[in-house]
Amino acid sequence: MLGKSFNQIEISRSALRHNYKLLKQLARTKTRLLAMVKADAYGHGMLESSLAFSEAGCHDFGVAEIAEAVELRKSGIEGNIFVFLGFAAADVSLFFSYDLIPIIYDIESARILSSEAVTQNVEITVHVKVDCGMTRLGIMPDEFEEFVAVLQTLPGIKYGGLASHFPRADEPESSQTREQFLRFECLGVSESKVPELVAHTANSGGILYFPDSSCSMVRAGISLYGYYPDGETGVERATGEKLQPAMRFKTKVLQVKTVTKGTGVSYGHTYITDKETTIAVLPVGYEDGLSRSLSNKGEVLIHGKRASVIGRICMNLCMIDVSDIDSVQAGDEVVLLGRQQSDEITGDAIANLMGSISYEILCLFGNNNQRTYVE
Ligand SMILES: *Cc1c(COP(=O)(O)O)cnc(C)c1O
């Protein structure tokens, strides 16, 4: 598309690298740090983010579906690329042509991979997903031993690792994570059994709050992008060096107008001015990821000050009250996410207003607007 959008997502490469290095320090020395770059790297751009993590020393990347993995490999990313959600039988050859690692959770997939491996006369490494308490993807712990036994009889299959996932690692006080980790350890993760076996279960919460659960690899998502999995509580809890949010969302004022007391604003007139009000119109709406649920609730920064969203958020537009901010003009920069002068609007703050989590805000903003990258 020709022409630059008013709405720009700005991603800081140095913040991405900083977060990677900081998390690497938190994990045990020999622990590999896999970068979860699914959902277009939580809205930060899969390729650009992967490049930044590579520069910081990353060799392991995780995506949800095979198409993402193929795109990543085609773009020249080296190292291991793990596909977490399985695959359709018709796509099996892609694992071989693009050198990808499937995470499997049923023996049928293993058989399909095995038969392709035999056809191509090569070996493929697979990791097994075990459900130790998330109640999502994975085989159950009591099926594990038999599963691996069958797996190891399949020609062309190399059993390279096992994975699980924590449902409550963002709650440092919860005992659930320790219990679940014990279940994971009981699967015979002990490195003596299969020396090169890669075991991984810790997500951001695991890395930050349960360092003992590191194993041979950890998988960071939200923390790589500068957010704590437990939101503002995590920011307050953090000591020492902090994660740095990598995303800013900025736009420009389209028009400014002053209306009299008693004027209805936007669809449904859900906001009626209670005084003479100066309104700035912004080219951002729910199509751009600014959820309609933030109508009459959201805040933005302009001239370094806070202004409230008034009236309903439309598809491509919304209105803010700038009565208390001097000389706002069309073209002025508005920040919806991130810092402007000395104030900052965080993904956690927006998430709180929406009853959501920073993860969703980053995806909504990042994946619905043009992105630019800065150092
Ligand atoms: C998304 C995801 C992660 C990363 O979780 P964060 O909380 O963002 O760190 C780790 N493992 C799996 C299987 C995931 O799907």
Side-chain angles (χ1 to χ4, degrees):
M1 224 191 283
L2 283 178
K4 204 173 173 202
S5 169
F6 294 114
N7 302 332
Q8 294 293 324
I9 292 290
E10 194 181 271
I11 307 287
S12 160
R13 288 195 185 94
S14 56
L16 295 175
R17 290 195 305 264
H18 164 87
N19 296 332
Y20 189 90
K21 289 178 185 161
L22 184 59
L23 291 161
K24 188 80 182 74
Q25 283 167 21
L26 294 177
R28 288 189 309 202
T29 326
K30 282 192 179 161
T31 299
R32 282 154 57 182
L33 172 57
L34 176 147
M36 271 295 182
V37 293
K38 65 191 182 198
D40 221 352
Y42 293 43
H44 295 66
M46 179 177 68
L47 177 61
E48 289 281 357
S49 302
S50 298
L51 285 171
F53 299 141
S54 285
E55 280 170 30
C58 184
H59 296 288
D60 297 280
F61 302 88
V63 294
E65 298 211 47
I66 196 162
E68 302 168 80
V70 168
E71 192 190 329
L72 197 54
R73 185 65 88 209
K74 272 188 169 170
S75 311
I77 289 293
E78 292 173 3
N80 303 312
I81 303 181
F82 293 85
V83 177
F84 277 80
L85 299 195
F87 60 95
D91 286 336
V92 66
S93 66
L94 296 173
F95 284 104
F96 298 81
S97 27
Y98 292 97
D99 188 16
L100 311 172
I101 302 177
I103 311 265
I104 59 169
Y105 46 85
D106 58 11
I107 210 70
E108 187 52 27
S109 302
R111 290 192 202 284
I112 295 168
L113 287 158
S114 167
S115 114
E116 182 70 16
V118 168
T119 307
Q120 298 207 16
N121 196 24
V122 290
E123 196 173 57
I124 186 159
T125 296
V126 304
H127 286 208
V128 177
K129 182 74 173 276
V130 191
D131 185 350
C132 295
M134 174 73 177
T135 317
R136 206 170 72 173
L137 271 185
I139 59 166
M140 301 311 279
D142 60 2
E143 302 169 306
F144 181 72
E145 209 169 314
E146 199 192 325
F147 188 93
V148 170
V150 175
L151 195 65
Q152 287 176 320
T153 65
L154 296 176
I157 296 284
K158 178 166 187 275
Y159 167 47
L162 75 167
S164 193
H165 190 50
F166 289 142
R168 297 183 66 181
D170 56 338
E171 301 170 61
E173 309 77 17
S174 163
S175 60
Q176 212 284 332
T177 302
R178 278 178 223 292
E179 287 161 23
Q180 182 167 333
F181 184 58
L182 276 179
R183 242 169 273 151
F184 187 62
E185 277 188 312
C186 286
L187 299 173
V189 182
S190 84
E191 278 136 40
S192 56
K193 270 198 174 171
V194 186
E196 68 277 32
L197 202 66
V198 183
H200 45 112
T201 182
N203 49 6
S204 294
I207 301 166
L208 292 167
Y209 307 132
F210 299 91
D212 293 348
S213 70
S214 280
C215 302
S216 36
M217 187 162 81
V218 292
R219 307 183 303 262
I222 197 69
S223 50
L224 285 175
Y225 307 103
Y227 283 89
Y228 291 82
D230 47 344
E232 282 168 352
T233 320
V235 179
E236 284 154 26
R237 206 187 319 253
T239 52
E241 238 185 303
K242 292 207 165 56
L243 299 168
Q244 295 172 3
M247 184 186 290
R248 277 178 90 223
F249 181 15
K250 54 184 189 175
T251 188
K252 287 192 160 63
V253 172
L254 290 184
Q255 192 187 16
V256 180
K257 58 179 61 168
T258 300
V259 298
T260 55
K261 177 178 173 179
T263 303
V265 179
S266 192
Y267 288 122
H269 281 184
T270 58
Y271 186 86
I272 309 278
T273 57
D274 57 0
K275 57 174 185 346
E276 183 180 270
T277 302
T278 303
I279 293 171
V281 183
L282 309 181
V284 189
Y286 51 83
E287 188 219 12
D288 313 296
L290 186 67
S291 170
R292 192 166 173 278
S293 69
L294 292 167
S295 297
N296 289 311
K297 272 196 203 166
E299 284 186 325
V300 302
L301 297 174
I302 179 162
H303 296 189
K305 299 201 171 82
R306 281 176 187 249
S308 301
V309 171
I310 55 173
R312 282 203 186 129
I313 292 169
C314 309
M315 193 177 283
N316 293 101
L317 294 161
C318 69
M319 273 55 79
I320 57 172
D321 181 352
V322 293
S323 305
D324 296 333
I325 303 171
D326 282 344
S327 57
V328 171
Q329 291 174 18
D332 287 357
E333 184 196 77
V334 175
V335 169
L336 290 103
L337 173 72
R339 190 162 277 286
Q340 192 189 51
Q341 298 176 26
S342 60
D343 205 353
E344 182 179 11
I345 292 182
T346 67
D348 293 320
I350 299 171
N352 287 343
L353 292 175
M354 284 168 62
S356 184
I357 50 175
S358 61
Y359 299 62
E360 185 180 5
I361 312 308
L362 298 176
C363 292
L364 282 173
F365 287 170
N367 288 333
N368 289 295
N369 295 285
Q370 285 182 1
R371 284 186 291 248
T372 54
Y373 293 84
V374 296
E375 259 317 291

